[in-house]
Amino acid sequence: MNSADKIRVTILTSELAPLAKTGGLADVAGALPKYLSRDNRLEVIAIMPRYREVKKKSLLQKLVFENLQVDWPASEKNFSVYQARLEGFTIYLIDNEAYYDREYLYSTPEGDYPDNGERFAFFCLAALKSIQALNFQPDLIHAHDWQSALTLAYLKHRPKADGYFRKTKSLFTIHNLAYQGLFSPDILDRVGLPEFLFNSEDLEFYSKVNFLKAGLLYSDAISTVSPTYSQEIQTPEFGFGLEGVLRKRADRLFGILNGIDYQEWNPETDPALPAHYSSDNLAGKSICRIELLQSFNFPVETSWPIIGMVSRLAGQKGFDLLIRSLEGIFKRPVYLIILGTGEKEIQNLLLASSKKHSERFGLKIAFDDRLARLIYAGSDFFLIPSRYEPCGLTQMYSLRYGTIPIVRGTGGLKDTVVEFNPKLLQGNGFLFQEYEAVDMLGAIDRAISFYKKEPAWSKLLDNALNSDFSWEKSARNYFELYQKILSF
Ligand code: ADP
Ligand code: GLC
């Protein structure tokens, strides 16, 4: 196929694995262009900021433009663009020292960077400028989360951009509606957007400017990361005040379940693991389990199951429910191992409990990809009690590593985990619905009642290991959505 006939897509994201990651967005933004690029009807590039941690990566980064400028009132205007090659696609990195050469991506342990509004508005403007400099006229811009959302406002409300992007369509993907990018009204002027946008039909939201709203209002279509979440966000319980805006656009709102990268997350090859295994031979999983127990100084000769968790320590992830249930959990014959970073208060409550139950509760406060993988592989069960969950990748990783998920039935968790039915020997995990300790403990009890009980246990493991969440399917769904958007 001639490159002129291909659909040109530009993906805008504030994080992308393996270059910079705070959560699932990075995994998705890394896998999406990789798998889309395998389709020769598409030509895909990605753009993201060049953070300090990106600069440190051993990957070759070639300077392609120096001293480009964004056209806005703030004094910080200059940026450079670096190009790097990842599997299957090219990524362009927006380099500006003042905004991106920092220790963290969005926030320090003390809180958000106060200039996040300018930082990500700059990213959006610089991305548009880079596309022009590269002369990569996209058929479609695919922007992710609030950090990239203002691109849609610039395309609609900055006449200068009109000519070049006149035919460009857009898709905005919500990975998490709770993070909206809220700033005081004077931000509009500072980032070069007209002040009239400060009204409730545009970007105003309870006296603040809401960046995410630009993505919801000015895109040709909106998607979220699971079918269930695409419905949930149209209700007051999950809409975070934006349910009305979303309902108005319901005919342009789609739910596409994330995949996981089966190459990157593979117990047969994962270099982070002390032993490898597959659904045909699980011997290596026992070695991972022993290493996990050892790394938390637990006895290795135990018949008790390990319940693992790898999570941001945030309200979304159900830690208030977990903390209320800890005493109940430790009345059961289990080990609990948690890896996470995040809110101080949650950390302190978990630390206090892990001291009290030190022979049962292993806690590591860190962002540690290697340990995360050992937990996916070495645990028997994986707990996700989320209050809400747009998609959730960790239940899919645990399934892939033969670890049985115990999850609350919300969002993407509901779309990926099916309650085990011991009569039919169907299902790949355990679910509970009410956000209550008795319900969660009930699911844990059901789960441990099948632990190593044959024939149920082997069948459950089989079902887990054979669950299919490969990216090929999700990429196909995105391709079909792109085609639909181009026909609007
Ligand atoms: P979210 O994006 O809401 O945090 P997801 O389930 O989509 O949730 O993705 C979380 C991703 O971040 C997974 O890849 C998970 O392994 C990773 N992760 C979360 N916390 C940690 C941590 N403390 N150390 C290493 N990886 C982590
Ligand atoms: C968000 C959501 C999570 C989802 C991830 C990737 O961070 O919280 O549920 O899996 O984005 O789409």
Side-chain angles (χ1 to χ4, degrees), residues 15 21-28 175-176 179 225 258 265 309-313 316-317 339-342 364-373 376 382 384 388-397 413:
E15 52 186 271
K21 165 165 167 175
T22 69
L25 168 62
D27 293 3
V28 172
H175 292 263
N176 195 331
Y179 300 92
V225 287
N258 288 330
W265 298 88
M309 284 181 83
V310 176
S311 181
R312 284 186 292 118
L313 304 180
Q316 169 193 349
K317 301 291 180 180
L339 168 67
T341 48
K364 178 93 187 271
I365 303 293
F367 197 93
D368 181 342
D369 187 58
R370 177 172 281 270
L371 180 58
R373 289 164 184 270
Y376 292 125
F382 196 87
I384 316 179
Y388 71 92
E389 196 60 71
C391 178
L393 301 175
T394 61
Q395 78 279 17
M396 298 196 251
Y397 295 144
L413 297 171

Side-chain angles (χ1 to χ4, degrees), residues 162-174:
D162 264 9
Y164 194 78
F165 293 102
R166 205 178 50 245
K167 292 192 185 146
T168 300
K169 304 275 189 187
S170 57
L171 171 62
F172 179 69
T173 296
I174 306 165

Side-chain angles (χ1 to χ4, degrees), residues 34 91 143 232 345 362 437 487:
K34 168 174 163 182
I91 182 162
E232 288 174 340
E345 199 191 329
S487 72

Side-chain angles (χ1 to χ4, degrees), residues 52-68:
R52 183 178 297 171
E53 64 180 84
V54 176
K55 289 186 187 178
K56 287 190 198 149
K57 292 274 164 345
S58 57
L59 171 91
L60 181 69
Q61 303 175 33
K62 185 173 136 206
L63 180 66
V64 284
F65 298 112
E66 219 171 354
N67 290 322
L68 291 180

